[in-house]
Amino acid sequence: MDIATIVGIAGAFGMIIFTAINTAGGVVGFLRLLNLPAFALVVLGSYFAVMIANKWSVALGSFKVISRTFKVPSYNEQAIIQKLVAFSEKARREGLLALEDELEDLDDEFMKKGLRLVVDGTDQTIIRDLMELELTQMQNRHTENITMLNGWAALAPGFGMMGTVIGLVNMLVNLDDRDAIGPNMAMALITTLYGSVVANTTIMPWAKKLQGQDTYESSVKEMIIEGVLSIQAGDNTRILALKLLSYLSPSLRKQMETELLKD
């Protein structure tokens, strides 16, 4: 569970509620900000517009995509490095074909496919092209989802402005009815508020977090590509370890250097 996402959303809405209560006459003042038609226009209206802008599968999958921002992705780079270093040592000692028996035990399908190509004697250029193609396609899928969320974040304030116009029109039409001026003006302002809140406290931050997750996963896959190609090239295991360690954060790198480069 990604605590940062939960605390961030709770904190952002908490500050909005705190400000509303302390500037609008207490809890009663805050309750005046709750308006179901305004909420429906901004959230549902902008979501239906997302359907227009994207493929059906992408629009329907938006909530599954959003759920990923509540999880901390972990690809266990340390274990991947240890496994690649062990494969390198075995390949240099017994030959590339000696790796075949251990491939089925690999949990990482991306690494397994790459090493399978190595064991089959595939040309290095072809291996790189195939693995980078798979990486690119993954990034394209992620970009499609991130673009969908960014588009939604851009649409929500627009629907808030539509609500503002609706409220103002109704107010102007009923200027003679003093009782209608207040509710219509409230509708006008609240939808603008909702559009800004929806875009800036949820959808846009979700898209940003997914972008970070994409960068993280891409880095891990790039590390695997480098490791697989180094094993095929017969690089010295120490050189391989140094290459792979460069993908880690300084703290993790220092910890693993002590373990892998102790000789």
Side-chain angles (χ1 to χ4, degrees):
M1 187 66 70
D2 193 331
I3 301 299
T5 299
I6 297 172
V7 172
I9 292 175
F13 278 98
M15 289 300 97
I16 294 170
I17 295 170
F18 172 80
T19 302
I21 289 175
N22 285 275
T23 59
V27 176
V28 174
F30 164 70
L31 293 177
R32 295 194 190 104
L33 297 178
L34 303 181
N35 187 297
L36 184 59
F39 179 84
L41 175 63
V42 171
V43 177
L44 297 181
S46 60
Y47 178 67
F48 287 127
V50 167
M51 289 186 177
I52 299 172
N54 296 273
K55 294 185 297 186
W56 180 252
S57 59
V58 174
L60 287 184
S62 58
F63 299 103
K64 182 178 180 180
V65 169
I66 289 170
S67 70
R68 295 174 189 165
T69 66
F70 292 87
K71 302 173 184 176
V72 178
S74 177
Y75 301 101
N76 203 351
E77 307 99 292
Q78 301 99 305
I80 290 174
I81 291 175
Q82 289 172 337
K83 181 65 70 173
L84 287 169
V85 168
F87 279 144
S88 174
E89 291 175 342
K90 185 166 185 176
R92 285 173 59 82
R93 188 173 58 249
E94 304 175 27
L96 293 174
L97 290 176
L99 303 179
E100 186 170 14
D101 294 337
E102 299 187 33
L103 294 184
E104 294 306 318
D105 295 331
L106 282 177
D107 296 327
D108 192 299
E109 288 297 323
F110 188 68
M111 188 196 302
K112 183 187 293 186
K113 290 177 183 177
L115 290 173
R116 172 64 65 188
L117 292 170
V118 168
V119 171
D120 291 342
T122 309
D123 182 76
Q124 186 179 69
T125 302
I126 295 176
I127 295 176
R128 179 181 291 278
D129 288 345
L130 288 172
M131 296 187 77
E132 288 184 348
L133 176 61
E134 184 169 341
L135 171 60
T136 300
Q137 293 306 311
M138 180 204 76
Q139 291 171 331
N140 289 341
R141 291 191 297 273
H142 291 176
T143 299
E144 186 175 43
N145 290 324
I146 293 167
T147 300
M148 177 270 296
L149 287 181
N150 282 326
W152 193 354
L155 289 165
F159 274 82
M161 290 303 299
M162 290 181 200
T164 297
V165 173
I166 292 171
L168 290 175
V169 168
N170 289 332
M171 184 185 72
L172 293 173
V173 169
N174 296 288
L175 279 178
D176 293 336
D177 184 359
R178 293 185 177 183
D179 292 335
I181 293 176
N184 285 321
M185 178 60 78
M187 173 69 174
L189 297 177
I190 287 173
T191 50
T192 298
L193 172 65
Y194 281 9
S196 179
V197 168
V198 168
N200 291 286
T201 63
T202 55
I203 303 174
M204 200 180 299
W206 284 332
K208 186 67 176 175
K209 176 148 285 187
L210 288 173
Q211 182 66 62
Q213 291 181 0
D214 171 68
T215 300
Y216 175 32
E217 187 173 0
S218 296
S219 177
V220 173
K221 281 185 162 45
E222 288 169 0
M223 180 183 73
I224 292 173
I225 292 173
E226 191 64 47
V228 167
L229 294 176
S230 291
I231 290 173
Q232 186 195 42
D235 288 346
N236 182 283
T237 302
R238 187 179 184 86
I239 300 300
L240 169 66
L242 288 171
K243 286 182 181 179
L244 301 182
L245 289 172
S246 67
Y247 286 89
L248 299 180
S249 64
S251 57
L252 287 176
R253 187 186 313 164
K254 186 174 182 180
Q255 177 185 336
M256 290 205 71
E257 279 178 350
T258 305
E259 179 183 345
L260 296 177
L261 307 177
K262 55 187 176 183
D263 295 334

